[in-house]
Amino acid sequence: VKVEPHVADLTADNIGELLEDVRVVLDGTDNFETRFLINDYCVERAIPWVYGGAVGSYGISMPVLPARSACFQCVFPEPPSGPQPTCETAGVLNTITSLVASWQVSLALQILCGREPEPMITTFDAWSGDVRQVRMPPRDPQCPACGLRSCRYLHGEHRVPVSLCGRNAVQIHDRRRPLDLDELARRLSPLGEVRSNGFALRFTIPPHEMMIFPDGRAINVAEGIVRARYRESLSAPKPLEPGRVYAFTIDLVGTSNVFRRGHRIRLDLTSSHFPQFDRNPNTGEPFGTSAKVRPANQTVYHSRQYPSHIELPVVEAAP
């Protein structure tokens, strides 16, 4: 097995390059807009693909078989509207993602071996143990993808904004023309809260939020955490003394990444990372018992006496 990783945002501009010459596509995305794009591409090129999704303890999967089954847009004509459970609001049970992925691989292996699976929608509940199957509906002659062949997500004049997982956020990319974020901030400021740092602009009208990038996006490469009171021992907590300088070693976990010319590395420091990690009320009380929350201020020292630094080992490319 040869794995060729690509760190990229799947768009109508690059999907042809990234999926060139593939025989089957497995969906591991987290939003309907990208799935509609995959569906358009696979329908137009008669490539089978396997949809999969999970939230909470619930999972779903189905094969999309060209000329034999309904396509993804036949089953889901439009993205779900209204409040929906997401990985942030409902969480995702780790076993359900493994279950859905295993089922997707099983369907893909059948396709690659020349035995197309039955066009069935399979749902799983890893908590209750329920597994159900229903036959996919017939193809819709008025479906924009496989019926009318308009494939608007693939050939649309503008890319459809992507609804991100959680936070009512919409992410917009328009790489065909650079945006003047300062001018855009000036125009949007009378309408809502605007925050811009030259690299991205965040525009908020509760409960909606837009992140607008001039020509790219930020990717989280690695992360780590140290609970300060447990800096020396997990069994013997020691609270911090205000005003005293402490040294912390934060393991970002083993990772590797190719940084090409022009890439930048950003470091974010925060006193909380909820819901990824349990919230820290900063009161010193036992976790799970505090009913109050206090703000915490951190100072990062960077001097000869306190040489804060990041270790970035460089690995030579294999010959």
Side-chain angles (χ1 to χ4, degrees):
V1 176
K2 181 181 179 181
V3 178
E4 297 181 4
H6 296 273
V7 181
D9 189 21
L10 189 66
T11 69
D13 295 328
N14 65 13
I15 190 171
E17 177 184 355
L18 293 176
L19 301 186
E20 184 179 9
D21 297 329
V22 301
R23 294 174 57 191
V24 63
V25 175
L26 273 69
D27 162 42
T29 63
D30 68 348
N31 63 83
F32 272 80
E33 289 81 0
T34 303
R35 290 177 177 129
F36 283 131
L37 173 62
I38 294 173
N39 184 71
D40 279 1
Y41 181 84
C42 290
V43 165
E44 186 171 88
R45 286 158 179 77
I47 300 172
W49 71 284
V50 184
Y51 157 64
V55 65
S57 64
Y58 174 82
I60 183 172
S61 180
M62 69 178 186
V64 178
L65 310 172
R68 184 183 172 197
S69 74
C71 76
F72 183 79
Q73 199 164 6
C74 290
V75 180
F76 301 100
E78 296 290 341
S81 60
Q84 300 291 326
T86 68
C87 56
E88 183 177 51
T89 60
V92 180
L93 190 64
N94 59 354
T95 53
I96 189 60
T97 56
S98 300
L99 184 59
V100 171
S102 297
W103 186 257
Q104 288 180 273
V105 171
S106 297
L107 295 175
L109 288 175
Q110 293 181 47
I111 294 171
L112 292 174
C113 291
R115 180 189 179 278
E116 286 194 343
E118 289 297 315
M120 306 289 287
I121 301 174
T122 305
T123 61
F124 314 86
D125 192 321
W127 198 254
S128 67
D130 289 339
V131 179
R132 300 183 181 183
Q133 282 191 316
V134 295
R135 183 166 292 276
M136 294 172 62
R139 295 175 62 186
D140 180 4
Q142 298 302 312
C143 171
C146 68
L148 303 178
R149 312 288 288 191
S150 61
C151 297
R152 60 188 178 93
Y153 287 85
L154 182 62
H155 300 300
E157 182 178 350
H158 298 290
R159 182 184 174 192
V160 177
V162 176
S163 299
L164 301 181
C165 184
R167 301 186 182 180
N168 287 323
V170 176
Q171 180 171 290
I172 297 175
H173 283 255
D174 191 347
R175 301 189 181 190
R176 286 167 292 188
R177 55 186 178 88
L179 292 174
D180 185 337
L181 295 185
D182 292 336
E183 173 62 17
L184 187 60
R186 184 188 66 79
R187 293 167 55 189
L188 292 177
S189 57
L191 306 177
E193 180 185 355
V194 178
R195 297 175 62 185
S196 176
N197 60 8
F199 300 100
L201 181 147
R202 176 179 295 174
F203 175 54
T204 305
I205 300 181
H208 302 290
E209 176 182 87
M210 291 192 299
M211 285 291 292
I212 304 174
F213 300 81
D215 58 2
R217 63 190 180 110
I219 302 173
N220 188 26
V221 176
E223 64 183 359
I225 185 173
V226 170
R227 188 72 80 177
R229 73 171 74 173
Y230 296 106
R231 63 194 178 279
E232 297 179 3
S233 170
L234 294 178
S235 59
K238 293 183 179 180
L240 298 178
E241 298 178 15
R244 180 179 173 183
V245 179
Y246 293 86
F248 294 94
T249 299
I250 302 177
D251 184 4
L252 298 181
V253 186
T255 186
S256 62
N257 190 76
V258 176
F259 294 100
R260 301 190 183 278
R261 185 183 300 274
H263 283 188
R264 300 180 181 183
I265 302 174
R266 184 179 70 194
L267 174 66
D268 289 334
L269 296 175
T270 176
S271 59
S272 181
H273 193 0
F274 180 82
Q276 182 76 5
F277 300 101
D278 192 18
R279 70 189 185 103
N280 185 359
N282 299 311
T283 61
E285 298 174 289
F287 293 118
T289 64
S290 177
K292 300 179 180 179
V293 177
R294 296 175 57 186
N297 297 315
Q298 291 88 21
T299 301
V300 179
Y301 291 86
H302 184 57
S303 63
R304 183 183 298 272
Q305 183 179 4
Y306 304 114
S308 299
H309 63 282
I310 304 174
E311 293 184 5
L312 295 174
V314 177
V315 180
E316 296 294 335

